[in-house]
């Protein structure tokens, strides 16, 4: 059984209808005049869309549930960031540009599509070359991970060591294909049409602090989203530190929906991962920033340790078993 497909093809219809409804709501919000009251239906679409995506896929495989939940969240959050960008004084996108932003770009800043369609921007070929290379490397690594795991013959004979290596390789392969490959290709395609799209994953291993990692190198789309939807609206009321902590906890909540809810287990662990990072960033900003500025190698060790060591909280065993292990293609 493919865990990324529904049990029955008819199971696609209700998910497609839900996504169409969430998309319609987000589009309507993007066309309305800017007002703070638009935040109410925007966030309602996020909540209702997520609940319905969970309910209508309750008996489906974990991978399909994950895809449905992520799609509903992504589309609904496009509506939220459009509302916030208009409140910040940014222009309303034309219909073509909005569809491009909402459907075919993972970034969360509508303003980068303000001049679409328009003249091509420089750097297009660099993005396309890098994206193609990363997709090729990622697919090759995924093939190797499946071959490595298949040597055991069956899922029952898959040793812990072989399983851990296969899972780690498959997760890296996924990241290379999607994060560093397809996102780069997207950036290149849209730059050809005038969008100011840039890399969403920017050499994260060069980070010398958690602030740099989360703020400007890893998944810039996510940092854009939390900045527009959570940090900026809350900052005037609760202050910088509390707003930053709220943004991290919101990130943890979204990862709970994408990781724990599909497998219906491991609740609280992804949230704990981001809560730990919120505390580590506060410690870093108060006591360690100057040290890391002078000793960049120490900052890199600090950052890598915080990212990697608590990863079992984020990608907990239930998610690995329900979503990642099936990708290894080992027969039951």
């Amino acid at each position: 059984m493919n865990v990324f497909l529904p049990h029955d093809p008819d199971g696609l219809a209700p998910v497609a209808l839900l996504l169409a409804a969430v998309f319609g709501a987000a589009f309507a919000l993007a066309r309305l005049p800017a007002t703070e009251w638009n935040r109410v239906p925007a966030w309602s679409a996020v909540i209702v869309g997520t609940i319905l995506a969970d309910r209508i896929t309750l008996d489906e495989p974990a991978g399909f549930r994950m895809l449905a939940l992520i799609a509903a969240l992504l589309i609904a959050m496009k509506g939220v960031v459009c509302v916030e960008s208009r409140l910040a004084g940014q222009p309303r996108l034309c219909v073509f540009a909005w569809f491009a932003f909402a459907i075919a770009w993972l970034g969360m800043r509508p303003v980068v599509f303000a001049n679409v369609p328009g003249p091509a921007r420089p750097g297009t070929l660099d993005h396309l070359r890098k994206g193609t290379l990363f997709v090729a490397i990622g697919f090759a690594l995924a093939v190797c991970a499946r071959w490595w795991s298949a040597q055991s013959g069956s899922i029952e004979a898959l040793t812990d060591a072989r399983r851990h290596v296969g899972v780690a390789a498959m997760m890296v392969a996924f990241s290379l294909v999607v994060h560093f490959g397809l996102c780069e290709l997207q950036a290149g395609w849209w730059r050809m049409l005038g969008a100011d799209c840039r890399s969403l994953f920017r050499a994260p291993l060069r980070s010398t602090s958690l602030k740099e990692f989360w703020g400007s190198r890893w998944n810039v789309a996510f940092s854009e989203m939390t900045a527009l939807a959570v940090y900026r609206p809350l900052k005037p009321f609760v202050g910088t530190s509390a707003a930053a902590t709220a943004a991290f906890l919101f990130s943890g909540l979204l990862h709970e929906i994408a990781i724990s809810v599909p497998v219906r287990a491991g609740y609280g662990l992804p949230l704990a991962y981001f809560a730990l990072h919120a505390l580590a960033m506060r410690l870093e900003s108060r006591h360690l920033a100057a040290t890391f500025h002078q000793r960049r190698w120490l900052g890199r060790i600090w950052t890598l340790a915080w990212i990697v060591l608590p990863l079992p909280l984020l990608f907990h065993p239930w998610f690995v078993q329900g979503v990642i292990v099936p990708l290894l293609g080992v027969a039951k």
Side-chain angles (χ1 to χ4, degrees):
M1 179 184 68
N2 191 327
V3 298
F4 294 94
L5 294 176
H7 291 304
D8 189 306
D10 291 340
L12 290 170
V15 174
L17 288 173
L18 171 63
L19 296 181
V22 174
F23 183 86
F27 178 71
L29 287 165
R31 311 312 294 171
L32 292 175
T35 169
E36 292 186 358
W37 286 105
N38 290 346
R39 286 171 172 160
V40 176
W43 281 105
S44 297
V46 174
I47 296 169
V48 173
T50 302
I51 292 173
L52 290 178
D54 174 52
R55 293 293 93 188
I56 64 179
T57 62
L58 199 57
D59 297 324
E60 299 291 357
F64 181 72
R65 279 172 50 76
M66 179 188 73
L67 295 177
L69 285 161
I70 290 175
L73 268 177
L74 178 64
I75 296 171
M77 288 305 301
K78 293 281 187 175
V80 172
V81 296
C82 281
V83 167
E84 294 299 335
S85 67
R86 294 293 309 286
L87 290 174
Q90 295 173 357
R92 185 175 69 178
L93 300 180
C94 71
V95 173
F96 175 79
W98 191 87
F99 271 69
F101 164 73
I103 296 176
W105 176 239
L106 293 179
M108 285 289 180
R109 291 176 60 234
V111 71
V112 303
F113 281 80
N115 296 319
V116 172
R121 293 178 179 269
T124 295
L125 290 180
D126 288 339
H127 286 288
L128 294 179
R129 287 193 196 100
K130 285 199 302 183
T132 302
L133 177 62
F134 279 121
V135 167
I137 295 173
F139 270 116
L141 183 58
V143 170
C144 290
R146 288 173 66 90
W147 173 84
W148 168 265
S149 303
Q151 300 310 300
S152 61
S154 68
I155 194 71
E156 291 80 9
L158 187 64
T159 64
D160 287 343
R162 192 173 286 274
R163 176 178 175 274
H164 292 325
V165 171
V167 165
M170 187 60 72
M171 294 182 75
V172 172
F174 175 86
S175 185
L176 289 173
V177 171
V178 177
H179 298 152
F180 296 92
L182 296 181
C183 287
E184 284 292 326
L185 291 174
Q186 277 190 325
W189 295 334
W190 288 119
R191 288 186 76 82
M192 284 193 291
L193 289 177
D196 190 21
C197 295
R198 304 181 185 185
S199 301
L200 298 177
F201 295 82
R202 303 169 182 172
L205 293 179
R206 295 182 181 178
S207 302
T208 58
S209 67
L210 288 171
K211 180 180 179 180
E212 182 183 2
F213 180 88
W214 291 115
S216 59
R217 290 196 178 274
W218 180 261
N219 203 346
V220 175
F222 220 87
S223 62
E224 291 171 349
M225 179 180 67
T226 54
L228 279 170
V230 180
Y231 179 77
R232 292 179 186 176
L234 287 180
K235 182 181 175 181
F237 301 100
V238 300
T240 301
S241 295
T245 299
F248 263 90
L249 294 179
F250 178 67
S251 296
L253 179 61
L254 294 187
H255 281 80
E256 289 282 355
I257 295 170
I259 294 174
S260 299
V261 173
V263 296
R264 287 185 272 179
Y267 295 110
L269 296 178
L271 181 60
Y273 180 88
F274 283 91
L276 281 173
H277 275 257
L279 293 173
M281 280 190 64
R282 182 167 292 192
L283 174 64
E284 177 184 281
S285 64
R286 288 185 177 182
H287 305 290
L288 300 173
T291 300
F292 293 160
H293 182 72
Q294 295 173 353
R295 299 178 176 84
R296 300 175 68 84
W297 62 270
L298 187 58
R300 285 196 174 94
I301 293 174
W302 160 271
T303 304
L304 190 62
W306 272 105
I307 296 300
V308 173
L309 294 181
L311 270 182
L313 292 174
L314 181 59
F315 301 114
H316 48 66
W318 299 276
F319 174 78
V320 169
Q321 187 63 35
V323 176
I324 305 301
V325 170
L327 288 174
L328 299 178
V330 182
K332 292 186 177 180

